[in-house]
Amino acid sequence: MLKRNVQLLPAVRMTPWRKISVGSWKPVGDSQVYHLMDLDAEPALAWLEKSNAPSEEKITITHLAGKVVGQVLKEIPDLNSIVRFGKIYPRQHVDIFFHVVQNDKDLSGHVVRGIDGKTLKEVARELNTGARSIKTGKDESFKKIKNNWKMIPSFLAMTMLNTIGFIFYSCNLFVKGLGVPRDAFGSMMITNIGSLGLENAFVPLPPYSKVPFVIALGKVVDRVCVVDGKPAVKKRVSFCCTFDHRIIDGAHGAQMAARIEHYFTNPSELR
């Protein structure tokens, strides 16, 4: 019996402009929009230091960024959608995919399901456990995918990925025999390029994942800023955002950026 891959609500009623937008853009490439957010990292770093003092499970800036975006997707549900056959479908749940580097060559990830309903400590515990499992080679799902792809010729890679994306997301069917986890990429992706020493870089949207939004979290650095009309050195961090213009337009993007900055600089307000 066929099962749904993603739990979705009914398709939304689209305005004429939204229909034009969906019909004008391809899934990736010409529909990608880039936005660089340069944020004050000092309130977040101070809050993390205070929160981590009595805790055995270390909360990092990556965990905080994921929780912030999860809260924003909950507050602006239009962002938490996918495009299927020219229509926009809202997701029922907020799930965030975090990239995890296993070694210098292999890249995988872990999806925190229902992140908007979890505390930061719960997010940190789950992601840390998942990352350790991947890095030590104990993640069975990752091992299965890795072994399957060893048998696929490189010239068929794009065809295979597009086929998987079509079945799992366009058709919204979960086929266990293909060896891919259910809804493997979640609502959006976060990758910490700062851990690689990069201050900023934009990441493209993977077409087969159907995610409309990716954030590359940069390295925390000292930058000269204007404070009360005078130059001052402050710790700053970049959120390099790539989003799908078919789903997220300028109005959505402005709302999203404002809410991300608010919660990132006021982490105590996260629920």
Side-chain angles (χ1 to χ4, degrees):
M1 183 177 179
L2 294 176
K3 297 181 179 179
R4 295 297 182 188
N5 178 50
V6 186
Q7 295 181 5
L8 299 173
L9 298 171
V12 299
R13 186 179 181 86
M14 294 192 293
T15 64
W17 161 246
R18 185 60 57 194
K19 289 182 180 180
I20 293 172
S21 182
V22 169
S24 297
W25 304 111
K26 296 178 181 178
V28 297
D30 56 2
S31 68
Q32 292 184 127
V33 178
Y34 307 96
H35 175 58
L36 175 62
M37 299 180 64
D38 178 35
L39 301 179
D40 183 2
E42 293 188 358
L45 294 175
W47 186 86
L48 288 173
E49 183 178 5
K50 181 180 178 181
S51 299
N52 283 327
S55 176
E56 296 181 0
E57 198 70 58
K58 184 179 179 182
I59 302 172
T60 69
I61 199 167
T62 302
H63 303 140
L64 176 59
K67 177 62 179 175
V68 165
V69 176
Q71 181 65 33
V72 172
L73 291 182
K74 179 181 179 180
E75 294 182 5
I76 313 175
D78 287 352
L79 306 178
N80 191 25
S81 305
I82 67 172
V83 175
R84 299 174 56 235
F85 299 112
K87 293 184 178 181
I88 296 175
Y89 290 81
R91 286 173 168 270
Q92 291 188 29
H93 307 292
V94 179
D95 307 322
I96 305 295
F97 179 97
F98 294 84
H99 279 104
V100 176
V101 178
Q102 186 192 34
N103 50 48
D104 292 338
K105 295 182 179 180
D106 291 324
L107 184 66
S108 183
H110 179 83
V111 179
V112 177
R113 308 285 180 188
I115 194 171
D116 56 314
K118 295 178 178 177
T119 66
L120 254 173
K121 287 186 178 180
E122 290 173 333
V123 172
R125 186 180 302 112
E126 179 180 338
L127 185 54
N128 290 343
T129 301
R132 282 193 294 267
S133 179
I134 291 172
K135 291 180 178 180
T136 57
K138 296 180 180 179
D139 186 276
E140 294 299 325
S141 177
F142 176 66
K143 286 196 295 185
K144 186 175 182 180
I145 293 173
K146 185 177 178 180
N147 291 333
N148 287 344
W149 274 92
K150 286 180 179 178
M151 299 182 291
I152 298 174
S154 58
F155 68 88
L156 291 178
M158 181 177 290
T159 300
M160 285 296 298
L161 287 170
N162 289 338
T163 300
I164 290 171
F166 178 77
I167 294 172
F168 278 69
Y169 291 100
S170 294
C171 296
N172 195 23
L173 298 174
F174 173 61
V175 182
K176 188 175 181 180
L178 291 177
V180 179
R182 176 176 287 178
D183 193 15
F185 306 103
S187 305
M188 61 84 61
M189 295 180 174
I190 290 181
T191 181
N192 188 344
I193 59 173
S195 64
L196 305 175
L198 297 173
E199 293 184 26
N200 49 67
F202 291 96
V203 179
L205 299 172
Y208 48 86
S209 70
K210 302 295 183 180
V211 296
F213 184 27
V214 177
I215 287 180
L217 181 64
K219 178 183 178 181
V220 177
V221 296
D222 291 330
R223 293 197 183 111
V224 178
C225 306
V226 177
V227 179
D228 297 328
K230 298 180 180 180
V233 177
K234 304 280 287 184
K235 292 193 178 296
R236 311 285 294 186
V237 65
S238 294
F239 277 43
C240 303
C241 307
T242 306
F243 57 89
D244 187 342
H245 198 283
R246 299 176 304 161
I247 293 177
I248 305 173
D249 55 26
H252 288 126
Q255 285 182 294
M256 175 186 69
R259 299 312 293 164
I260 288 176
E261 181 172 9
H262 174 78
Y263 283 119
F264 187 75
T265 54
N266 298 277
S268 60
E269 294 187 17
L270 288 169
R271 295 183 291 275

